[in-house]
Amino acid sequence: MTLEPQSSAPSQASKRLQTWLNKRCGLHFPENKWEMLNQRLARVIERYRLDSMEALVQEVERGDDHELLAAVVHAASTNHTYFFREPQVLDYFRVKILPEIMYRDEIRIWSAAASTGDEAYTCAIIAAEALGRHALRDRLAILGTDLSGPVIESAEAGVYGLPNLEQTSPEIVARYFNAIGDGRFLVADDIRRICTFRRMNLKVRPYPFQKKFDVVFCRNVLYYFDIATQRAVLDEIYDATQPNGWLLTSVTVSLRDLGSRWTTICSGVHRKLQ
């Protein structure tokens, strides 16, 4: 198996694969992500018994092996997450946003880069604490979408290990998870019932929603897109959000130079003011 040295610029084969990922998924890999991408693709090359990056690229460009294509997309996607990640944004959701929308007959929330479901279930738990668990099923609907099929399957299963719960208080774990052995925990049935997960490529537009969302979480994904894709994704999310709805991003993401229609309220919090 031959890959370029980790410290070098991408080989021509790697560049071709990055171009394919950008066209197919909108993913963009700056220089500081080359090593990570090579390491992940090396595991794909080994799993499918290919002998080089060039061989992998040829298979991808041929496009016949859909299982291999899915493995490449999964490897390139960022799937590391955990419950109650970035509490600053979650606190704003709990303290400022939920009290404003909690009396609506229906509350729709979208986790637009759901990964293994930690974020969607976190939102459900926060809402359960605020509204009471009895109110969840009839009033709250949470959609989690992700590019990767395997992580959507993992999200639907709702089973997590201790690393995913390292930022979750023991009291919350006791209330909303069931220990199933081997250090694994299953999300409680009533929380799982209000969360639906689907595979979705944020680059494919228009988005297929009939109803609009009150709150959209789009965290830890925008910086993997090029500028043009970022703008397009933000526009599509804007159109999929209710008037005066909310967009929550990572606190490190700025929309200032993207020509976005969103109004930034504070770091990581944006609103559709109309």
Side-chain angles (χ1 to χ4, degrees):
M1 178 175 62
T2 57
L3 291 175
E4 65 269 13
Q6 292 180 348
S7 60
S8 70
S11 66
Q12 288 302 313
S14 182
K15 287 179 179 178
R16 282 160 56 198
L17 189 52
Q18 290 187 37
T19 298
W20 183 86
L21 285 166
N22 184 265
K23 289 181 178 179
R24 177 73 173 259
C25 313
L27 297 176
H28 170 70
F29 294 91
E31 184 175 353
N32 64 343
K33 301 296 182 182
W34 291 341
E35 179 179 344
M36 176 202 72
L37 180 61
N38 278 343
Q39 290 173 347
R40 292 181 173 189
L41 293 175
R43 292 193 285 270
V44 176
I45 290 170
E46 181 178 3
R47 185 188 320 149
Y48 285 86
R49 299 181 179 180
L50 302 170
D51 58 12
S52 66
M53 178 71 78
E54 176 64 31
L56 175 64
V57 174
Q58 289 178 3
E59 290 294 324
V60 166
E61 291 178 340
R62 189 175 295 116
D64 297 330
D65 189 336
H66 296 290
E67 181 181 332
L68 174 63
L69 298 183
V72 169
V73 171
H74 176 64
S77 304
T78 299
N79 299 311
H80 172 68
T81 187
Y82 49 87
F83 283 76
F84 294 92
R85 186 176 186 177
E86 289 192 347
Q88 177 180 335
V89 171
L90 294 176
D91 286 345
Y92 195 98
F93 171 67
R94 176 178 57 83
V95 175
K96 299 290 188 180
I97 298 176
L98 266 181
E100 179 179 309
I101 66 176
M102 66 187 298
Y103 298 107
R104 296 178 184 176
D105 292 336
E106 182 182 29
I107 301 170
R108 290 174 50 80
I109 297 173
W110 176 23
S111 172
S115 188
T116 51
D118 308 50
E119 180 176 80
Y121 289 131
T122 295
C123 293
I125 291 170
I126 292 173
E129 291 286 286
L131 306 177
R133 297 175 78 154
H134 62 282
L136 295 183
R137 188 170 185 177
D138 296 329
R139 298 179 53 207
L140 179 63
I142 298 177
L143 172 67
T145 64
D146 198 272
L147 178 66
S148 170
V151 301
I152 287 298
E153 292 177 5
S154 179
E156 289 177 329
V159 176
Y160 299 91
L162 289 172
N164 298 81
L165 299 170
E166 60 185 7
Q167 300 299 319
T168 306
S169 73
E171 294 79 14
I172 291 294
V173 172
R175 279 201 291 274
Y176 295 100
F177 295 84
N178 299 309
I180 58 175
D182 299 324
R184 297 181 304 153
F185 296 82
L186 175 65
V187 178
D189 288 347
D190 59 338
I191 299 298
R192 294 210 322 275
R193 276 195 295 264
I194 61 173
C195 294
T196 301
F197 296 95
R198 295 288 184 268
R199 187 176 179 186
M200 178 178 171
N201 185 345
L202 291 174
K203 189 178 180 181
V204 176
R205 299 178 292 273
Y207 291 169
F209 302 125
Q210 294 182 346
K211 293 184 177 182
K212 297 189 176 185
F213 297 94
D214 300 287
V215 185
V216 179
F217 286 78
C218 189
R219 303 191 294 167
N220 305 298
V221 66
L222 284 174
Y223 40 65
Y224 287 97
F225 296 148
D226 59 30
I227 297 298
T229 304
Q230 288 181 29
R231 288 172 175 157
V233 167
L234 288 169
D235 273 347
E236 286 291 328
I237 293 175
Y238 189 93
D239 291 337
T241 305
Q242 295 275 18
N244 295 311
W246 301 86
L247 169 65
L248 303 181
T249 64
S250 300
V251 294
T252 56
V253 169
S254 172
L255 309 189
R256 183 178 56 188
D257 299 324
L258 294 176
S260 168
R261 289 177 285 170
W262 292 97
T263 298
T264 296
I265 305 302
C266 60
S267 296
V269 179
H270 318 274
R271 196 167 195 187
K272 179 178 180 176
L273 291 177
Q274 60 171 251

